[in-house]
Amino acid sequence: MNDGASTELVRYVVASTGLPERVAARVVADIVGYFDETAEQFVRRRHAELQAREMRNAEIWRQLEAELAQRPVAAPPFTERQLRRIVYG
């Protein structure tokens, strides 16, 4: 965690949770890494996870649209066709 924003975030997590600095840094790194995924990587990963739960594609596309809109840095809106192309090429 070299950048100022990450250092500031670690300090905030330490202050708000009481976690030791090393643990807070690991938590912040995990969260930043999770949100570092591109929209396409997110769509592929979540599609596979939802399919493993035996959801049908029609449900999956709606779920993905909703989840993408909730991400901290919202992805551009994708049509169902675009989502299919990301998953299946």
Side-chain angles (χ1 to χ4, degrees):
M1 300 253 140
N2 296 7
D3 67 7
S6 296
T7 302
E8 174 99 13
L9 184 55
V10 169
R11 284 190 199 124
Y12 176 80
V13 171
V14 168
S16 69
T17 64
L19 289 172
E21 188 172 340
R22 289 184 66 173
V23 175
R26 191 179 76 232
V27 168
V28 169
D30 286 348
I31 292 169
V32 169
Y34 175 82
F35 286 113
D36 197 33
E37 254 180 338
T38 66
E40 289 81 6
Q41 291 168 328
F42 174 80
V43 167
R44 286 185 194 102
R45 178 179 60 76
R46 285 297 289 149
H47 181 269
E49 291 171 359
L50 296 171
Q51 219 173 25
R53 293 184 192 166
E54 299 183 8
M55 285 180 76
R56 299 180 147 232
N57 274 339
E59 296 172 282
I60 291 173
W61 306 135
R62 286 191 299 275
Q63 180 76 25
L64 287 172
E65 287 175 31
E67 289 180 14
L68 284 167
Q70 300 288 325
R71 290 180 65 83
V73 178
F78 290 107
T79 64
E80 182 177 319
R81 182 173 187 259
Q82 291 171 313
L83 292 171
R84 282 196 310 263
R85 289 192 67 141
I86 290 170
V87 172
Y88 298 117

